[in-house]
């Protein structure tokens, strides 16, 4: 039993120490970090890195871009995917199954496979350096997993519900809005969190399509701090903390949903 | 019951975006893989299977890349699965402490790869890094390393980072799988006097196979897609020792402007992933016992 407890503590420390180190370093000067990388700051916590990063970087702009891209990507993916899931469930025939197969096949294709032609397509459509471009690609790329999870859930809803509404004269749109969507709320929220984490943290597509500072999202901006600040870890970690803050706060309050959502993506994926 | 044809309208927005931004690029990757397109000019020539021959026979970097990817995958799959399963068994019961620990172990999953890359670059830093300092404190100076700068070990340093990043997520999947095993099976095993190991071997493991399949398949695919982490931590260096297929495609396409060749590597990449996933599902399925 002692060994078990010991292992649990070691693993906990392996997670905690790096996180504490990040917070601590962001509150130290560069000199202090070089002199004593792991020690406490000499003259109390320094908030100067935080004010410096807001002065030197257009942090507010990066936050705005990340928020816009994430919000629209998540909401629209959920909207389109739930419509497809509803269509597949409602049709319940070979055409529906075929469409389901077409979407789920997409889960097997890693994003890096089509990044080359996708890049030239975006150039042709004039969708580089555009938040709209990022949103459209995000939706297309996460539709497969969202369709997969939502269809799996909607198929468990009793068919009689839909059929009874049809007899009552409700159209498909009404059934979708008034019955399918509200009943799918648990699965929608799990998928929403999965998508939220994925889009907020995405690096690949901003890296491919965005070169203009005005459209950079947080992960891309953060990556480029590396070029600017090199091994100035206090500044890099200040960036890490700011970029992760919304996700961490959401995690603390919605922990159970996060765990459910992030594993729904894997379990059913 | 007859359903109105209007149901097809539900597919339109999604199908449209999926076709334009996903299916079309995937298919054109196949098309461009037979050309020498540079990605910029309008003109390109068909080179037949030239790109594939080059990748499979002539390109030593590509061969190295596949090797790196397999090393990375093996370390991550084995280590991550063992860590996740071992700890899932310990924190299985829903006590307050266990719920807290699970949430803590899961935490790195919500960070961005770039953040994780920075954190671990600092840990591995040869002079500032916590890892070398701890080794020194323990009197193990001989083990001090330039963890990301040494071409022999850099890929393993990255693999450890990946395990730190995602083991918690796999742990949760195992917990879900383990909690679904009916309690009375353990009761029976206890009554029959089965040892702990026998119980694990005969009850837990067979019933755990579905979650194990998911974890292993997911981890494998994830380790092939570790693009962000590699890109931000080493950029594929030193001397291509941490170049994985995904970062190599990026290099060939966007640094050497050889879109045709990059496309052919993309196609091979897809075939490798499909083959590995297929084999794993087959191997793990045949091992399954039904009750």
């Amino acid at each position: 039993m002692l060994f078990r407890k010991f292992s649990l503590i070691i693993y906990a420390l392996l997670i905690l120490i790096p996180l504490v180190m990040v917070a601590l370093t962001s509150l130290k000067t560069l000199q202090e970090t070089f002199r004593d990388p792991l020690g406490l700051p000499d003259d109390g916590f320094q908030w100067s890195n935080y004010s410096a990063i807001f002065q030197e970087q257009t942090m507010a702009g990066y936050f705005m871009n990340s928020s816009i891209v994430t919000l629209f990507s998540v909401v629209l993916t959920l909207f389109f995917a739930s419509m497809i899931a509803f269509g597949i469930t409602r049709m319940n025939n070979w055409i529906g199954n075929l469409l389901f197969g077409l979407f789920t096949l997409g889960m097997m294709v890693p994003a890096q496979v089509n990044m080359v032609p996708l890049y030239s397509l975006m150039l042709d459509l004039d969708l580089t350096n555009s938040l709209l471009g990022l949103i459209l690609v995000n939706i297309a790329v996460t539709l497969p997993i969202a369709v997969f999870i939502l269809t799996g859930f909607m198929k468990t809803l009793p068919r009689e519900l839909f059929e009874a509404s049809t007899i009552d004269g409700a159209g498909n749109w009404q059934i979708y809005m008034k019955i399918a969507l509200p009943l799918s709320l648990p699965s929608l929220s799990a998928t929403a969190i999965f998508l939220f984490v994925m889009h907020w943290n995405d690096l690949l597509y901003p890296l491919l399509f965005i070169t203009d500072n005005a459209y950079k999202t947080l992960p891309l901006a953060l990556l480029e701090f590396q070029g600017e600040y090199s091994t100035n870890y206090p500044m890099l970690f200040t960036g890490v903390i700011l970029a992760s803050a919304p996700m961490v706060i959401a995690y603390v309050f919605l922990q159970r949903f996060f765990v459910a959502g992030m594993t729904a993506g894997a379990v059913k994926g | 019951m007859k359903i109105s044809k209007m149901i097809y309208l539900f597919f339109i927005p999604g199908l449209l975006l999926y076709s334009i931004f996903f299916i079309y690029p995937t298919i054109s990757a196949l098309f461009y893989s037979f050309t020498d397109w540079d990605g910029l000019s309008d003109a390109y020539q068909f080179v037949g299977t030239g790109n594939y021959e080059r990748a499979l026979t002539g390109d030593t970097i590509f061969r190295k890349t596949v090797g790196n990817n397999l090393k990375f995958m093996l370390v991550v799959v084995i280590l991550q699965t063992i860590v996740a399963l071992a700890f899932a068994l310990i924190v299985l019961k829903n006590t307050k402490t266990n719920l807290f620990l699970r949430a803590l172990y899961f935490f790195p999953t919500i960070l961005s790869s770039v953040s994780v890359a920075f954190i671990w670059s600092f840990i591995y830093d040869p002079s500032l890094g916590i890892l070398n300092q701890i080794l020194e404190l323990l009197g193990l100076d001989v083990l001090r390393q330039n963890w990301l700068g040494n071409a022999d070990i850099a890929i393993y340093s990255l693999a450890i980072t990946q395990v730190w990043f995602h083991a918690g997520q796999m742990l949760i999947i195992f917990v879900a799988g383990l909690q679904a095993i009916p309690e009375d099976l353990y009761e029976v095993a206890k009554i029959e006097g089965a040892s702990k190991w026998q119980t694990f071997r005969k009850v837990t493991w067979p019933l755990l196979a579905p979650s194990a399949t998911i974890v292993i398949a997911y981890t494998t695919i994830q380790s092939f897609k570790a693009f962000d982490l590699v890109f931000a931590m080493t950029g594929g260096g030193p001397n291509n020792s941490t170049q994985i297929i995904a970062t190599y495609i990026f290099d060939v396409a966007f640094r050497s402007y050889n879109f045709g060749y990059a496309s052919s590597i993309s196609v091979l990449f897809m075939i490798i992933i499909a083959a590995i996933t297929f084999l794993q599902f087959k191997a793990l399925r045949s091992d399954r016992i039904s009750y």
Side-chain angles (χ1 to χ4, degrees), chain A residues 1 4 7-9 11-12 14-19 21-22 25 33-38 80 83-84 86-88 90-91 93 95-96 99 102-123 125 127 133 136-137 139-141 143-144 159 163 166-167 172-173 176 194 197 200-204 207-208 219-220 222-226 231 233 236-237 240 243-244 247-248 251 255 258-259 262-263 265-267 269, chain B residues 1-15 17-18 20-26 28-29 32 37 39-40 83 87 89-91 98-116 118-123 125 127-130 133-134 163-164 167-173 176 196 214 218 221 224-228 231-233 246-247 249-251 253-254 259-260 262-263 266-267 269-270 273-274 277-278:
Chain A
M1 284 314 97
R4 282 181 166 207
S7 323
L8 289 177
I9 291 169
Y11 191 8
L14 281 175
I15 304 286
L16 276 173
I17 290 175
L19 299 178
M21 176 195 82
V22 170
T25 309
T33 306
F34 276 123
R35 204 168 50 236
D36 183 8
L38 304 176
F80 297 158
M83 273 165 62
I84 292 167
F86 176 71
I88 293 169
R90 204 68 185 101
M91 283 159 76
N93 59 13
I95 306 175
L99 285 163
L102 181 72
F103 280 105
T104 45
L105 211 60
M107 291 194 304
M108 295 286 292
V109 182
Q112 288 84 9
V113 165
N114 48 29
M115 68 180 167
V116 179
L118 185 60
Y119 173 76
S120 48
L121 175 70
M122 299 299 274
L123 275 183
L125 296 175
L127 282 173
L136 293 175
V137 172
I139 297 171
V141 171
L143 263 181
R159 298 189 61 76
E163 280 161 15
T166 317
I167 294 163
N172 276 323
W173 181 252
Y176 164 74
F194 176 73
V197 176
W200 184 266
N201 291 333
D202 180 47
L203 173 69
L204 183 67
L207 181 70
L208 286 175
L220 179 62
L222 203 56
L223 182 73
E224 297 192 346
F225 288 178
Q226 212 179 14
T231 52
Y233 283 106
L236 292 180
F237 286 165
V240 165
S244 320
M247 195 63 74
V248 174
Y251 182 66
Q255 211 188 84
F258 265 76
V259 171
M262 292 296 288
T263 43
V267 171
Chain B
M1 182 175 292
K2 188 103 182 80
I3 291 158
S4 148
K5 286 270 177 285
M6 300 296 267
I7 194 74
Y8 289 109
L9 292 177
F10 281 82
F11 292 92
I12 289 177
L15 204 51
L17 287 175
Y18 186 58
I20 299 173
F21 295 102
F22 195 87
I23 299 180
Y24 168 74
T26 309
S28 43
Y32 289 127
W37 191 38
L40 304 167
V83 168
F87 281 91
L89 287 165
I90 307 183
V91 295
N98 286 350
L99 284 171
F100 170 77
L101 285 172
R102 275 187 239 155
L104 179 67
Y105 297 156
F106 186 83
F107 183 84
T109 311
I110 66 157
L111 297 173
S112 73
S113 322
V114 185
S115 300
V116 173
F118 286 180
I119 295 171
W120 280 82
S121 296
F122 188 61
I123 291 175
D125 191 293
S127 50
L128 300 174
I130 188 172
Q133 295 203 13
I134 288 176
V163 173
W164 184 84
Q169 193 183 4
M170 301 306 133
L171 185 153
I172 299 289
I173 297 174
K196 266 201 164 155
I214 292 161
Y218 193 72
I221 294 178
F224 270 95
K225 297 205 279 192
F227 174 89
D228 303 14
F231 193 82
M233 284 179 79
T247 54
I249 294 172
F250 187 90
D251 262 19
F254 300 106
F259 273 42
S263 299
S266 305
V267 173
F269 183 32
M270 200 153 53
I273 290 208
T277 317
F278 177 75

Side-chain angles (χ1 to χ4, degrees), chain B residues 206-224:
Chain B
L207 288 170
L208 198 61
S211 346
T213 313
I214 292 161
V215 167
I216 292 173
Y218 193 72
T219 309
T220 307
I221 294 178
Q222 234 177 14
S223 64
F224 270 95

